[in-house]
Amino acid sequence: MSDIKNRTIALFEKHRAAPGVAFDPEHFLDFLLKSPPTKRAVYNSFSGLRRLNAFMDALQLECAVCFSQNDREANYSLDKIVARIEQLQRSPRGSLASLSNQLKGGPDVNFVLIVNLVLLVALAFLRARGFGAAAIVMIVVAFNCWYAYFHFKARRYQRELHQRLLTTHGIDKPTHD
């Protein structure tokens, strides 16, 4: 068994809901869930997507690759994901392009502005009612803190992955911020 396949399985086991249970290598990503009812089940639940994203992120760092959005949506078999990793390692340009696209895209600031605007309009209507206004202010603060936490966490991960790609592949470029 190849080194990449061994590392993929080790990370897979670490991120599974039921480590050590037998799985079908043809749709192994579904087995990040405890007992997937159907193929592509991992894509149909919040807990499945959380596990899948954590696994894919760990796999990217471990193997110094960056999957495209299409790679993340593909329900690869174990052998196909290993082959895709090997392909990306042979040609780091694809990984760097995928990461560059992620850095350009980023989280949607317009969404945050719209939510804040709606909440502030609600605050204006409730300003005479102390409790309602206080609740709205707490919601605004909590939402903005939540957004900032996930935004900065994602950016930190992307910087770490970018540096890992450059270092592993011997590319001499400054990092993105």
Side-chain angles (χ1 to χ4, degrees), residues 9-21:
I9 291 172
L11 283 172
F12 171 69
E13 289 296 331
K14 182 179 175 185
H15 288 89
R16 292 179 74 186
V21 174

Side-chain angles (χ1 to χ4, degrees), residues 59-122:
L59 192 56
Q60 287 181 143
L61 280 176
E62 176 73 23
C63 298
V65 298
C66 183
F67 296 113
S68 67
Q69 190 61 38
N70 288 341
D71 289 329
R72 284 183 169 268
E73 292 171 1
N75 198 11
Y76 284 128
S77 69
L78 180 57
D79 289 335
K80 284 184 181 176
I81 201 165
V82 168
R84 180 66 177 142
I85 292 168
E86 289 170 345
Q87 179 186 24
L88 289 169
Q89 285 179 334
R90 282 190 302 273
S91 178
R93 253 192 188 147
S95 289
L96 289 169
S98 293
L99 183 57
S100 178
N101 288 337
Q102 289 177 24
L103 289 168
K104 286 177 191 169
D108 189 5
V109 175
N110 292 331
F111 170 72
V112 174
L113 293 174
I114 290 170
V115 169
N116 279 320
L117 181 63
V118 167
L119 290 172
L120 290 175
V121 167

